[in-house]
Amino acid sequence: GQQLNQSPQSMFIQEGEDVSMNCTSSSIFNTWLWYKQDPGEGPVLLIALYKAGELTSNGRLTAQFGITRKDSFLNISASIPSDVGIYFCAGQISGNTPLVFGKGTRLSVIA
Amino acid sequence: DAGVIQSPRHEVTEMGQEVTLRCKPISGHNSLFWYRQTMMRGLELLIYFNNNVPIDDSGMPEDRFSAKMPNASFSTLKIQPSEPRDSAVYFCASSRTGGDSPLHFGNGTRLTVT
């Protein structure tokens, strides 16, 4: 089946540092999404990307939909302690197909 | 908007017992998904419904697992009999089919089978 390779698996950073994580696939997706999961909760949508090449920001978060439609990255600038959690990328072929999720990037922020 | 509501939040049961997990999707959403999350395998899609009809249950691990959606506002995932390896967090999620409608997750049910 389709798989998304998400990296890194985990990262430890100092508060204030910028963070970058990415997701690649051998298949084309027409939608890329980034979710964040806090402990004990379900994943929450951060950013949705619907067009190849699209660059979208949400506060300190910036995500891009790769031009080949096989990859996406998420950047977090000036990290803060509440950025701690697991970040998931997800790809979707069409609105009628389910999302395919990456394995997640576990982010730890050291104050 | 109350979001996707799952119950119970935690379930501890003994091996061999029947377990029923419940989900109420967001009103107006016509697609419903059941996921299982473990450290080893991440988020796995078990089954999903469109307009209350099961579309793809190829992710259901075994015949011990079954899911129903009797109406647009309720779904259950049942495990009978449960086994220790079923221990995981089970998430329900909903969306509107088609268009730009992202998936919204519930807060999950943490299942422990002893």
Side-chain angles (χ1 to χ4, degrees):
Chain A
Q2 294 164 318
Q3 287 187 333
L4 294 184
N5 299 309
Q6 188 171 349
S7 65
Q9 279 190 313
S10 62
M11 28 190 341
F12 289 81
I13 60 169
Q14 292 277 349
E15 183 177 357
E17 287 184 351
D18 296 343
V19 174
S20 185
M21 58 191 80
N22 68 77
C23 219
T24 60
S25 169
S26 56
S27 306
I28 287 174
F29 287 100
N30 292 307
T31 299
W32 283 89
L33 305 106
W34 285 91
Y35 285 81
K36 183 194 177 199
Q37 184 178 23
D38 290 326
E41 298 183 10
V44 174
L45 182 68
L46 297 174
I47 292 181
L49 302 155
Y50 299 106
K51 199 172 171 183
E54 179 182 355
L55 184 71
T56 296
S57 292
N58 178 7
R60 294 179 296 107
L61 277 60
T62 302
Q64 181 153 33
F65 188 148
I67 198 72
T68 65
R69 293 189 284 161
K70 292 184 179 182
D71 63 323
S72 176
F73 72 73
L74 175 71
N75 286 343
I76 305 172
S77 63
S79 58
I80 58 178
S82 62
D83 290 334
V84 165
I86 306 175
Y87 292 79
F88 291 97
C89 62
Q92 188 177 31
I93 295 176
S94 74
N96 295 322
T97 59
L99 297 183
V100 178
F101 280 89
K103 290 270 170 69
T105 295
R106 186 178 294 271
L107 177 65
S108 300
V109 179
I110 304 164
Chain B
D1 188 345
V4 177
I5 299 172
Q6 289 187 249
S7 64
R9 285 300 308 273
H10 302 273
E11 176 81 36
V12 180
T13 191
E14 290 185 345
M15 182 173 68
Q17 296 296 306
E18 177 180 297
V19 174
T20 299
L21 312 181
R22 296 173 175 79
C23 175
K24 177 177 166 47
I26 291 174
S27 178
H29 283 188
N30 60 340
S31 292
L32 184 141
F33 304 77
W34 283 100
Y35 285 87
R36 177 170 69 178
Q37 185 178 37
T38 60
M39 287 290 289
M40 290 294 293
R41 293 189 294 269
L43 276 165
E44 302 173 278
L45 177 65
L46 300 178
I47 185 172
Y48 75 98
F49 297 82
N50 282 347
N51 298 315
N52 313 340
V53 176
I55 302 300
D56 185 354
D57 65 354
S58 59
M60 297 284 260
E62 298 170 33
D63 290 346
R64 298 183 296 105
F65 285 69
S66 62
K68 292 182 180 178
M69 191 163 186
N71 57 62
S73 59
F74 184 65
S75 176
T76 59
L77 177 68
K78 188 175 291 188
I79 309 173
Q80 164 66 18
S82 57
E83 296 182 5
R85 60 193 167 118
D86 301 332
S87 298
V89 182
Y90 290 81
F91 287 103
C92 177
S94 71
S95 68
R96 275 193 295 271
T97 306
D100 301 340
S101 174
L103 199 60
H104 294 263
F105 284 82
N107 281 332
T109 295
R110 180 174 293 277
L111 173 65
T112 303
V113 183
T114 60

